[in-house]
Amino acid sequence: MANLNEKWKAVDNFKSVVVDRERDVDRVTKELSCNYRLTIPFAPHIFGSGKTTFAQNYLELVQRFGENFLSTFASDPLKRTFLEKLKRASLLYVDLRGLKPTEPKERNLEWAVYYRMIEACCTSVGQEPEDEEVVFKECRTRPYKLVRKLRSILNIPSDQFLLLAFDEVGVFDTKGTFFELEKNDKGVVRPYNDFFGIISQLCKEPDLFFIVVGKSKGLSIKNYVSSVSKVILHFISLSPLDASSIVEFLEKTLLETPTQVPVCNVLCSSSFSVNELADSLLECTGGVPGLLTRAVNMLLNYIIARNQPFISKEECLTCMNDDNFRIICAEPFVERILNLDEDRKSVFDILLMMALYRIPFQVDDILTSESYLYDAVTEMGLYRYPIDQNTFQVLIPKIFVVIFKNQPSISPMEKILLGSLDVEPVDCFFYSKCRVFEGIVALRLVLMLSSKNRNELRELLCQMSPIWKQMKLPISTISPIHYIKSVVSSRETRNESNKSRRTFANTEWNKIIRETLYLETIYIPVDATSHSPDIIFKLQSPVEPKVLTVGVACKGRWKSEGIGWSDIIDEAKKFLDPVYDQVLSSAMDYHHCMLIIVSTKLSLNVSNELGNQSRCYSSGMFIRNDSFKVPDNCELVILCERDIQMLIDEEILNGLERAFHVSHNPTFWDFGLDLLDRIRNSFLSWQ
């Protein structure tokens, strides 16, 4: 990949340090101390998630956190004793990529696993592994003899804890055929069950514990293993790093030079803080440890070559947003997703929607009769962000987007979804409310405004609104959905995750409209506030200097009585009045503003007064007995329920109503695969 751009090189300059992981350490320690000995912490994660580093450094992390962090866990005297012994334990790391059929029992998996452990043990102390025949004669495949042999090589007493960390368990996807394995009653071979069956026998040995990690279909393995071998596998979440952990990583990681300077000192100038660098890295990599490490190495190579640190966050982000930087950085991580058949492509689209619309999923959510959503994320080469022990969010690092968008088979819908993920502020990704209804409306608007085909909703708006009819449609490009942070009002600033979260101030619309919004771009404000519609965009006339700013208020409440006139008037006052006062009253006549009310259900009073028809209220018109007068150069459009189905069909609306009736933040299970697939197909139908 060097021919892409010589300045971007992924040469290692440092050895990574382990940071964060308190939650994972706590969970693993609790599982290891369980009275049921056949309990194994299991991390079936994709490349770059930090599973190998965690497995190799778990005991170091236990010692680092000590009693302060694990005080609750260690309040039980028996568990305190366990913790003290764990701090003095020895760890044996076993890379299963070295597993192979071995004499004298060549196709016997149990013997191959035993000998691989002996090989790893000898290597860890600098010894040459003993001959297979000699080891077999001494140990056979008897657990107590193997454990005695391992302790002898490591020179540790019989009562000292020994923790075996198996890595790359995913080799059984390909190496399972090398061995004679058991078949179930359907004649199916399941190598993972054979492997965990071997571990289950070793679990019975005293003071011996296991952690298993590797790229694999973890949930399928977990469920089958639990039902057959009685081994209980507990997932290790391995969260991506947050901003504060990235700061710790940058400060503790030292350059591999005689001076061993912290990498942040090399990358940052006096005008560019380590916190800003951490924010930049988080925005581009999503905090995925492998991606983070590769990105830092590439930045270091660039800075060392030019002999000058970054002077600003903007300069650093410019580098990381360079297409060549992203392609080289992401290349080792995206192999699985570059060649998708049609079935897997539909799953990829649904995962894209879940990432953009912030739809969480449960660990045991079923995708099809033979697969789980948890495993599908791994299979696609994407990442999971744990919300809690059993709930996750799909994470697609921004740095992946350019590779996905450059695929010849990418659809316009996928370009919008990927582009939207690329521009969305990463700090809002996990903290904002689930805004599925607004997101669907926004994406359908993008497709509607850019479609060259006949469009009933566009025609309806042209019939109702003379101003809309003068706008240039279709728009020239398919743009992503932008999530904007508006101008800030100091009294409304609030901190969340060490960041200043900015909301609309009702005195700042002039700046918002003049400086933030661009032509032919759809925006969804990050924060749903009392001062903003849910969607904003601008259109321009192709022949006259006329500009139309459009706000869309998505009223997806699904109240039994529907939204009434007071709700509609409140939305109009929050948008049209301040925009007129601050912008239109002092602007030339060419600037206009429109508010469109898109409600999932109108009250009976509203429907009757509208005559079950959509209606446009133009400048100077009064609404509801003089309750509100539409300002000059403004229009208020209320779409009836029938016409809203031009944006979202009835079955999707009914599905959303069912999901949001269950929760304010519905999960994948609440929506259901059929509904998400229908939403996807509705997008594809407008391409």
Side-chain angles (χ1 to χ4, degrees):
M1 288 301 236
N3 61 332
L4 286 175
N5 197 319
E6 283 297 326
K7 70 179 180 181
W8 305 128
K9 299 176 183 177
V11 180
D12 291 345
N13 288 286
F14 59 85
K15 183 178 180 181
S16 295
V17 296
V18 187
V19 296
D20 197 15
R21 301 297 183 218
E22 289 94 341
R23 179 166 61 177
D24 297 316
V25 170
D26 184 47
R27 177 83 193 277
V28 170
T29 305
K30 287 177 179 176
E31 301 306 340
L32 292 177
S33 67
C34 181
N35 290 329
Y36 185 68
R37 291 302 310 282
L38 301 186
T39 299
I40 299 175
F42 180 38
H45 292 280
I46 195 61
F47 179 59
S49 59
K51 57 191 178 300
T52 297
T53 303
F54 179 82
Q56 291 175 327
N57 295 275
Y58 165 71
L59 289 181
E60 176 192 331
L61 292 170
V62 170
Q63 293 160 359
R64 183 190 304 173
F65 296 140
E67 290 189 28
N68 289 336
F69 177 74
L70 298 169
S71 58
T72 304
F73 163 77
S75 58
D76 183 328
L78 291 178
K79 291 192 173 183
R80 178 178 291 276
T81 301
F82 173 86
L83 183 59
E84 290 301 325
K85 292 191 70 174
L86 185 64
K87 291 178 181 178
R88 299 191 298 271
S90 291
L91 184 142
L92 175 59
Y93 173 78
V94 183
D95 188 340
L96 288 173
R97 286 176 297 184
L99 185 72
K100 59 183 181 297
T102 304
E103 294 290 350
K105 299 181 71 173
E106 189 169 336
R107 289 181 57 78
N108 182 280
L109 178 61
E110 185 175 27
W111 165 240
V113 171
Y114 274 36
Y115 188 70
R116 182 70 197 107
M117 285 190 275
I118 296 293
E119 281 185 313
C121 191
C122 290
T123 302
S124 71
V125 296
Q127 295 181 12
E128 284 291 325
E130 295 182 31
D131 183 75
E132 296 98 320
E133 297 280 358
V134 174
V135 176
F136 182 75
K137 186 175 181 180
E138 182 178 352
C139 297
R140 303 287 176 174
T141 51
R142 294 172 184 168
Y144 76 94
K145 289 189 174 183
L146 171 71
V147 176
R148 185 173 61 192
K149 179 73 172 176
L150 294 174
R151 291 184 179 278
S152 174
I153 297 171
L154 294 171
N155 193 27
I156 60 174
S158 59
D159 62 346
Q160 182 175 333
F161 282 3
L162 175 58
L163 178 63
L164 270 72
F166 283 101
D167 195 5
E168 300 295 347
V169 69
V171 299
F172 289 111
D173 289 337
T174 55
K175 290 193 175 184
T177 57
F178 296 170
F179 304 97
E180 292 177 354
L181 304 174
E182 291 186 20
K183 295 182 179 179
N184 62 17
D185 54 1
K186 296 181 180 179
V188 177
V189 170
R190 295 186 181 270
Y192 290 101
N193 191 59
D194 290 70
F195 171 72
F196 282 105
I198 295 166
I199 302 303
S200 71
Q201 297 303 308
L202 289 166
C203 283
K204 299 173 184 177
E205 294 301 307
D207 300 323
L208 185 66
F209 305 90
F210 296 89
I211 293 175
V212 177
V213 303
K215 300 182 287 290
S216 60
K217 295 182 178 179
L219 195 60
S220 298
I221 295 169
K222 175 184 177 182
N223 290 346
Y224 190 79
V225 166
S226 297
S227 65
V228 176
S229 66
K230 309 305 179 186
V231 170
I232 297 177
L233 303 178
H234 287 281
F235 286 157
I236 310 171
S237 295
L238 294 181
S239 310
L241 302 181
D242 60 17
S244 61
S245 297
I246 296 175
V247 169
E248 183 185 356
F249 172 85
L250 295 168
E251 291 176 339
K252 291 184 176 179
T253 300
L254 305 178
L255 206 62
E256 287 190 334
T257 61
T259 55
Q260 292 192 315
V261 180
V263 297
C264 60
N265 291 1
V266 179
L267 295 172
C268 299
S269 65
S270 58
S271 60
F272 178 47
S273 70
V274 64
N275 295 78
E276 291 178 302
L277 175 59
D279 287 344
S280 303
L281 288 163
L282 176 61
E283 182 169 335
C284 291
T285 68
V288 174
L291 266 178
L292 173 69
T293 301
R294 189 169 173 87
V296 171
N297 266 311
M298 292 176 64
L299 293 176
L300 280 170
N301 286 314
Y302 171 69
I303 290 299
I304 292 171
R306 79 171 191 174
N307 196 30
Q308 181 183 345
F310 292 115
I311 60 173
S312 68
K313 182 176 181 178
E314 290 70 28
E315 183 190 19
C316 183
L317 280 174
T318 298
C319 287
M320 285 193 282
N321 289 333
D322 180 276
D323 281 359
N324 291 340
F325 181 97
R326 289 185 167 197
I327 290 170
I328 295 170
C329 188
E331 182 194 18
F333 299 83
V334 295
E335 179 182 352
R336 292 188 176 204
I337 208 165
L338 295 184
N339 297 296
L340 298 178
D341 57 32
E342 192 55 38
D343 288 341
R344 294 178 72 224
K345 194 175 179 65
S346 67
V347 174
F348 177 60
D349 292 346
I350 287 173
L351 294 178
L352 278 177
M353 288 193 296
M354 290 179 65
L356 183 62
Y357 298 152
R358 309 173 185 91
I359 300 175
F361 66 95
Q362 301 290 318
V363 70
D364 55 354
D365 281 343
I366 296 173
L367 191 62
T368 68
S369 60
E370 298 181 351
S371 64
Y372 295 87
L373 185 60
Y374 184 97
D375 291 339
V377 176
T378 301
E379 181 67 20
M380 292 290 170
L382 305 177
Y383 295 89
R384 297 174 291 266
Y385 185 94
I387 297 171
D388 58 40
Q389 185 170 308
N390 296 307
T391 310
F392 299 85
Q393 189 89 46
V394 178
L395 170 60
I396 302 178
K398 285 189 177 185
I399 218 158
F400 285 2
V401 169
V402 65
I403 289 186
F404 295 158
K405 287 173 70 176
N406 286 342
Q407 293 302 299
S409 60
I410 203 78
S411 69
M413 178 197 73
E414 288 163 341
K415 285 184 178 179
I416 297 171
L417 290 169
L418 287 165
S420 304
L421 282 169
D422 199 22
V423 298
E424 182 183 16
V426 72
D427 63 306
C428 304
F429 190 84
F430 304 113
Y431 300 104
S432 297
K433 292 180 180 179
C434 180
R435 305 177 66 194
V436 184
F437 180 55
E438 293 91 333
I440 294 172
V441 171
L443 199 141
R444 293 276 288 185
L445 281 170
V446 172
L447 294 167
M448 180 199 79
L449 295 172
S450 60
S451 174
K452 293 179 174 57
N453 299 326
R454 179 177 176 270
N455 186 288
E456 291 182 343
L457 184 58
R458 253 183 9 216
E459 291 180 1
L460 174 67
L461 290 169
C462 285
Q463 292 169 11
M464 292 194 297
S465 166
I467 299 173
W468 180 279
K469 190 174 184 179
Q470 296 175 42
M471 296 300 109
K472 179 184 178 182
L473 291 170
I475 60 178
S476 58
T477 58
I478 297 180
S479 67
I481 302 168
H482 288 243
Y483 285 70
I484 60 171
K485 286 183 176 182
S486 76
V487 291
V488 66
S489 169
S490 59
R491 67 181 183 278
E492 295 184 70
T493 301
R494 61 189 176 91
N495 288 327
E496 183 167 336
S497 186
N498 297 321
K499 289 182 176 292
S500 173
R501 300 294 302 282
R502 301 187 292 177
T503 60
F504 286 121
N506 60 0
T507 58
E508 301 283 6
W509 278 107
N510 184 52
K511 191 171 182 181
I512 293 168
I513 289 177
R514 294 193 182 280
E515 298 183 10
T516 308
L517 300 180
Y518 297 89
L519 299 174
E520 302 188 349
T521 305
I522 302 287
Y523 286 89
I524 298 181
V526 165
D527 295 292
T529 75
S530 60
H531 304 305
S532 62
D534 300 291
I535 301 165
I536 312 170
F537 59 94
K538 284 170 73 173
L539 300 174
Q540 186 169 6
S541 169
V543 291
E544 298 182 54
K546 288 191 176 182
V547 175
L548 176 63
T549 298
V550 183
V552 182
C554 299
K555 311 302 289 183
R557 297 183 191 173
W558 293 284
K559 294 194 301 184
S560 57
E561 67 274 18
I563 71 161
W565 283 111
S566 60
D567 300 301
I568 293 171
I569 292 169
D570 185 49
E571 290 296 326
K573 287 180 178 179
K574 287 187 297 190
F575 181 57
L576 296 180
D577 275 350
V579 170
Y580 174 77
D581 291 341
Q582 297 166 47
V583 182
L584 304 185
S585 61
S586 58
M588 303 295 289
D589 284 343
Y590 68 79
H591 205 138
H592 299 261
C593 184
M594 173 188 287
L595 176 64
I596 303 175
I597 304 290
V598 178
S599 172
T600 52
K601 187 173 184 179
L602 298 172
S603 71
L604 189 60
N605 285 340
V606 174
S607 295
N608 288 340
E609 190 161 331
L610 295 178
N612 294 315
Q613 301 285 325
S614 297
R615 184 174 297 182
C616 176
Y617 293 85
S618 300
S619 303
M621 295 181 69
F622 286 91
I623 300 174
R624 195 62 176 167
N625 301 324
D626 300 342
S627 296
F628 177 75
K629 180 182 178 182
V630 179
D632 292 344
N633 286 3
C634 293
E635 291 181 332
L636 172 65
V637 174
I638 306 172
L639 293 181
C640 68
E641 293 177 30
R642 182 194 64 236
D643 292 337
I644 286 171
Q645 292 178 29
M646 298 177 188
L647 272 175
I648 305 181
D649 71 42
E650 186 174 9
E651 288 194 35
I652 293 176
L653 285 170
N654 291 338
L656 293 176
E657 181 175 5
R658 288 192 298 270
F660 281 95
H661 181 73
V662 174
S663 168
H664 291 300
N665 188 20
T667 67
F668 172 83
W669 175 261
D670 298 323
F671 288 105
L673 178 62
D674 288 345
L675 176 59
L676 294 175
D677 202 42
R678 188 175 184 88
I679 293 170
R680 171 186 180 262
N681 290 335
S682 77
F683 294 150
L684 293 174
S685 68
W686 265 15
Q687 290 186 156

